[in-house]
Amino acid sequence: GESVGLHLPTLSVQEGDNSIINCAYSNSASDYFIWYKQESGKGPQFIIDIRSNMDKRQGQRVTVLLNKTVKHLSLQIAATQPGDSAVYFCAERMTGSARQLTFGSGTQLTVLP
Amino acid sequence: DTAVSQTPKYLVTQMGNDKSIKCEQNLGHDTMYWYKQDSKKFLKIMFSYNNKELIINETVPNRFSPKSPDKAHLNLHINSLELGDSAVYFCASSQSRGSNQPQHFGDGTRLSIL
């Protein structure tokens, strides 16, 4: 079946380094993608989104890259800080799916001092 | 000033009981959702309501019954609780108008069945 998945379940980076979290999706009919951050005991928090007609979008310290050719999505976090430690989810929405999101399995990012 | 709020935050109960979780959003959104997150952090949609009408109903046991009294509220009632219902349940909301409308989540209700 079609699914959203992540290459790595865990990622550890040194404070100050850049982080890259990857996500593979298999549904070419998806038109909208979102990255969420979930801290312990909290709900998923919106970070950044991108539509399928774009290949890059930047926010504050974060950049999302979309490669539709290989169905790959990545989240880049610049100058990673201890507060960035969390589980990161990518989510996709298929065209005409009544706003339904399909979530990936999540990547645990740990920032080392 | 919480945007999406759920109550209770923790719910511990015996197998076979009936319980409800409440959700309210003050974002003015017209669509609300319930998700279940299992112990491996996998998030799966259960229900979605748009303007108080059910639009998504995934394969969920009919022991789970959502109710939307108005656009700002979506409650989840669960009958005859089972051990497998233990999970974190998240409420979310979004606006249906416009193409880029992310969902905003509450902080979850951790349900533990004894």
Side-chain angles (χ1 to χ4, degrees):
Chain A
E2 314 251 30
S3 64
V4 177
L6 295 175
H7 293 308
L8 295 171
T10 61
L11 176 66
S12 295
V13 297
Q14 291 293 136
E15 183 178 352
D17 286 352
N18 296 336
S19 303
I20 299 176
I21 302 171
N22 295 303
C23 180
Y25 67 96
S26 56
N27 196 325
S28 56
S30 292
D31 64 354
Y32 179 54
F33 304 87
I34 310 175
W35 280 101
Y36 284 93
K37 171 187 180 184
Q38 186 178 18
E39 297 175 276
S40 180
K42 300 270 189 180
Q45 178 187 3
F46 170 80
I47 302 174
I48 193 167
D49 57 3
I50 189 167
R51 283 183 57 80
S52 58
N53 61 355
M54 302 171 69
D55 52 23
K56 180 179 180 179
R57 192 159 189 228
Q58 286 185 288
Q60 187 178 9
R61 282 202 306 118
V62 293
T63 301
V64 55
L65 298 177
L66 175 62
N67 186 332
K68 293 181 287 295
T69 303
V70 296
K71 299 191 184 69
H72 184 268
L73 192 68
S74 69
L75 177 70
Q76 300 178 0
I77 305 173
T80 314
Q81 301 168 359
D84 295 328
S85 292
V87 177
Y88 289 80
F89 293 94
C90 64
E92 63 175 328
R93 185 191 69 194
M94 285 178 277
T95 306
S97 64
R99 311 279 163 182
Q100 181 174 344
L101 294 180
T102 300
F103 281 79
S105 53
T107 292
Q108 172 71 58
L109 175 66
T110 302
V111 181
L112 306 172
Chain B
D1 59 347
T2 304
V4 181
S5 58
Q6 303 177 222
T7 53
K9 188 171 176 65
Y10 299 97
L11 187 51
V12 182
T13 190
Q14 301 273 2
M15 204 163 52
N17 284 350
D18 303 338
K19 290 293 177 185
S20 292
I21 308 172
K22 294 186 175 181
C23 179
E24 176 181 6
Q25 54 94 5
N26 62 5
L27 295 166
H29 290 164
D30 60 1
T31 306
M32 296 184 72
Y33 313 80
W34 276 110
Y35 285 84
K36 180 180 180 180
Q37 186 173 49
D38 62 22
S39 58
K40 296 180 181 177
K41 299 284 189 182
F42 185 69
L43 263 168
K44 186 166 169 53
I45 183 79
M46 298 173 69
F47 302 103
S48 174
Y49 270 73
N50 177 262
N51 284 317
K52 301 195 297 175
E53 288 190 23
L54 182 66
I55 56 171
I56 296 173
N57 184 357
E58 290 297 296
T59 307
V60 176
N62 58 14
R63 298 182 294 105
F64 290 78
S65 52
K67 283 194 171 48
S68 182
D70 55 58
K71 284 195 310 183
H73 296 83
L74 181 62
N75 304 323
L76 183 65
H77 188 76
I78 316 170
N79 288 328
S80 303
L81 281 157
E82 300 178 358
L83 289 175
D85 297 333
S86 294
V88 183
Y89 292 84
F90 286 99
C91 177
S93 72
S94 69
Q95 185 60 33
S96 62
R97 277 193 206 159
S99 54
N100 292 4
Q101 297 295 342
Q103 294 174 20
H104 297 260
F105 286 77
D107 282 338
T109 296
R110 183 175 294 276
L111 175 61
S112 299
I113 309 301
L114 304 177

